[in-house]
Amino acid sequence: MAALFVFGQRRRKQRTFKDRISSLDHLSDVEVVDRYRLSRIAINYLEDNLRNDLSPPTNRSQSVSSMTKVLVGLRVLSKGNFLSEVADLHGISKQTASRVLHEFVDAVNRNIDNIRFPRTQQELAEAKLGFYKRCKIANIVGAVDGTLVPIIAPKDSGEAYICRKGFHAINVMATCSHDRRFIDIVAKWPGSQHDSSVMNTSSLKEHMESERPGMLLADSGYPLTTSLLTPLANPVTSC
């Protein structure tokens, strides 16, 4: 038995580690945006804010750096690549990539609070001025629309997630500022839900109707209300 144990020990392969990507130095600015959908400055800012959560104390000599975790998370979320491809690209295993993705998303949710609707008088005034300069429409504080985000078919109530385009999705309602920043997100409704229904059940609608901060620009998928400005149906220019 001892001889078999020694023989088995001798045949055990030495563990090898892939070369990991832990910086953006090898990429041009254009390549960085193409791969991760954020600029080099934005990625460095994100890594700096998440570093404490993504780099816990460890004695492991081959721990995954906080920058690698940020790059893995951004690559999956921005490009929709398979975990195996993202893992190969960044020099980690598929199992590690799966764990890193969850760590990254949790860290973002805990630390990044940059989706905020304008609340103060100064913020609302700046928003209205920005929209007026852009589209010459007064009293606008945001632009809202829905987008269908594809998902894997759920095991339960899968038919509810089939959108009008025929695939399983989540109907995400997003509101943006004049400078194209998200100021409100609702991402919890199945793809079969109509845009107007998502709005009707949102806290955004309640806030717009109770606080009267201004109006939102919307397309014809939404009703014309005191807080939603939608296009005029079949407009005709008088001669």
Side-chain angles (χ1 to χ4, degrees), residues 10 17 26 92 102 129 140 190 211-212:
R10 289 176 179 173
F17 296 93
H26 63 293
I92 59 179
H102 286 86
L129 179 60
I140 301 299
E211 299 297 327
R212 303 284 184 177

Side-chain angles (χ1 to χ4, degrees), residues 35-53:
R35 290 193 181 195
Y36 301 104
R37 301 292 291 275
L38 288 179
S39 67
R40 191 186 307 272
I41 294 176
I43 293 175
N44 287 329
Y45 171 83
L46 188 60
E47 190 270 338
D48 185 60
N49 280 271
L50 303 182
R51 187 178 302 143
N52 289 337
D53 278 25

Side-chain angles (χ1 to χ4, degrees), residues 3 7 9 27 36 44 47 56 68 88 100 103 111 120 133 139-140 147 167 195 213 226 228 239:
F7 181 75
Q9 287 290 92
L27 298 174
Y36 301 104
N44 287 329
E47 190 270 338
T68 299
D88 290 342
V100 162
E103 290 181 9
N111 294 278
T120 68
K133 288 181 177 179
N139 202 35
I140 301 299
T147 184
F167 57 85
D195 288 351
T226 55
L228 287 174
C239 298

Side-chain angles (χ1 to χ4, degrees), residues 97-209:
S98 177
R99 174 177 56 80
V100 162
L101 175 61
H102 286 86
E103 290 181 9
F104 172 75
V105 172
D106 289 343
V108 169
N109 289 334
R110 286 193 298 267
N111 294 278
I112 306 300
D113 183 26
N114 62 345
I115 301 179
R116 296 187 302 272
F117 198 86
R119 298 280 181 170
T120 68
Q121 290 300 318
Q122 181 179 351
E123 290 174 342
L124 290 170
E126 291 175 354
K128 293 176 183 180
L129 179 60
F131 271 103
Y132 185 79
K133 288 181 177 179
R134 179 173 289 273
C135 57
K136 304 304 180 184
I137 303 177
N139 202 35
I140 301 299
V141 295
V144 64
D145 199 5
T147 184
L148 296 167
V149 179
I151 61 171
I152 297 175
K155 294 181 179 179
D156 299 322
S157 303
E159 64 279 358
Y161 289 85
I162 299 177
C163 66
R164 65 181 185 276
K165 296 183 179 180
F167 57 85
H168 291 85
I170 292 177
N171 190 353
V172 178
M173 185 179 76
T175 308
C176 295
S177 63
H178 66 279
D179 54 354
R180 304 172 186 175
R181 292 177 178 270
F182 289 120
I183 56 177
D184 190 79
I185 296 286
V186 178
K188 63 180 181 179
W189 293 101
S192 62
Q193 199 81 359
H194 194 273
D195 288 351
S196 60
S197 299
V198 176
M199 171 61 77
N200 287 335
T201 57
S202 69
S203 59
L204 176 61
K205 178 188 177 184
E206 181 180 352
H207 173 74
M208 294 296 294
E209 293 182 348

